[in-house]
Amino acid sequence: MKDKGMKIAISGKGGVGKTTFASTLARLYAQEGRKVLCADADPDANLGLALGFPEELLSEITPIGKLKRFAAERTGANASNTFLKLNPRVDDIPEAFGREYNGVRLVVMGTVDSAGVGCVCPENVILKCLINNLILARDDVVILDMEAGLEHLGRGTTSGVDQFIVVIEPGARSVQTYQSVKRLAHELGVQRVGVVANKIRNDEDEAFIRSQIPPEDLLGVIHFSSDVIDADRAGASPFDMSKGSTDEIRAIKARIDAEA
């Protein structure tokens, strides 16, 4: 394993269990005594609950995309200055605006309220620079819980990512998401995209996955578990309530570590 931390980007369409996988993986690294930082880059941000953060601690976390005044100060934006500093300082953001629990520090990226998608506004500059910093400059184990696309990443950051992982479930739409992410990753220069198949109910589900996903891409499978549903209902971490799923993710982690 690389000495300079581990950088893992996890994507997948909504409802496939991406956040369950990301949170359990983070807790497993923390259990080893590793320094772990999770960035919740999904607009439907609920990684904190899956990590086991109490509500009162989550309420202290401000999404980075909402820090308008902070972003303006760091980029030098004001009414009389139309030129933004495109490399503002961001290395202190996780400690200032994130919170730590169960050995995992959580930063919520949030979304930017702007008329134009991909606008060059102070908040977007901060978010882009923060992603770059997390991947390229930190020694932590960094886990990015992302949307199905790779919009948060660019060519300058992909070289620092040890593993791109798409979480899917046994279904045609989920497989299509994997294929789309793999194509986008290739366009960014990433040749290796791993797959984790979740919610496997029976041999037929697993056979479908293995018929659709090349064996070199399939990192492992996670079987359906009612314990994960119970954990979600209780607002608890699956790591603490689903031993079976955690053990399967531990086996997937071993393969991730071996390939890094």
Side-chain angles (χ1 to χ4, degrees):
M1 187 184 303
K2 294 181 181 179
D3 293 333
K4 194 175 174 56
M6 172 78 76
K7 312 298 165 62
I8 302 170
I10 301 172
S11 67
K13 72 181 187 69
V16 298
K18 171 175 59 68
T19 298
T20 294
F21 175 72
S23 64
T24 303
L25 191 63
R27 293 286 302 274
L28 286 169
Y29 278 115
Q31 190 179 57
E32 294 179 347
R34 305 286 294 274
K35 188 177 180 181
V36 182
L37 191 152
C38 280
D40 195 344
D42 191 326
D44 185 22
N46 51 29
L47 180 58
L49 285 176
L51 286 166
F53 276 64
E55 289 279 6
E56 57 270 20
L57 196 57
L58 288 175
S59 66
E60 298 177 8
I61 300 177
T62 303
I64 307 306
K66 303 299 182 184
L67 298 172
K68 293 181 179 294
R69 180 177 297 180
F70 173 85
E73 291 174 353
R74 286 293 172 96
T75 60
N78 57 58
S80 60
N81 182 13
T82 58
F83 296 98
L84 302 182
K85 182 188 297 183
L86 298 181
N87 59 342
R89 182 187 177 191
V90 294
D91 63 304
D92 57 338
I93 287 178
E95 284 67 38
F97 298 105
R99 292 294 182 270
E100 185 172 335
Y101 193 74
N102 286 327
V104 179
R105 178 164 291 274
L106 173 66
V107 177
V108 177
M109 307 303 283
T111 55
V112 176
D113 297 325
S114 59
V117 177
C119 69
V120 183
C121 58
E123 299 94 319
N124 265 336
V125 170
I126 291 292
L127 286 174
K128 181 178 179 180
C129 289
L130 179 57
I131 291 288
N132 287 345
N133 179 268
L134 294 180
I135 293 176
L136 300 176
R138 296 186 71 98
D139 293 334
D140 314 46
V141 172
V142 176
I143 297 175
L144 303 175
D145 185 7
M146 305 169 62
E147 294 182 83
L150 300 178
E151 288 80 3
H152 289 85
L153 300 178
R155 291 185 181 276
T157 59
T158 53
S159 63
V161 175
D162 294 289
Q163 185 71 256
F164 284 87
I165 298 174
V166 186
V167 179
I168 68 172
E169 59 188 2
R173 286 174 294 180
S174 218
V175 171
Q176 188 177 56
T177 297
Y178 145 72
Q179 293 169 341
S180 297
V181 171
K182 187 171 183 177
R183 175 179 52 79
L184 290 170
H186 284 182
E187 290 175 0
L188 292 171
V190 178
Q191 299 304 313
R192 176 77 173 87
V193 176
V195 176
V196 169
N198 191 31
K199 300 183 181 180
I200 302 299
R201 300 166 300 175
N202 48 43
D203 291 343
E204 288 75 16
D205 280 352
E206 185 164 346
F208 171 80
I209 291 295
R210 295 190 182 280
S211 72
Q212 299 294 314
I213 307 299
E216 65 270 17
D217 284 358
L218 187 60
L219 293 169
V221 301
I222 306 167
H223 289 84
F224 175 85
S225 171
S226 59
D227 290 340
V228 173
I229 298 174
D230 292 342
D232 186 25
R233 185 167 54 240
S237 174
F239 178 87
D240 296 318
M241 294 186 64
S242 179
K243 182 180 184 301
S245 295
T246 298
D247 286 345
E248 289 178 327
I249 295 173
R250 183 179 285 108
I252 293 169
K253 172 184 171 297
R255 181 166 174 183
I256 293 170
D257 291 345
E259 294 183 358

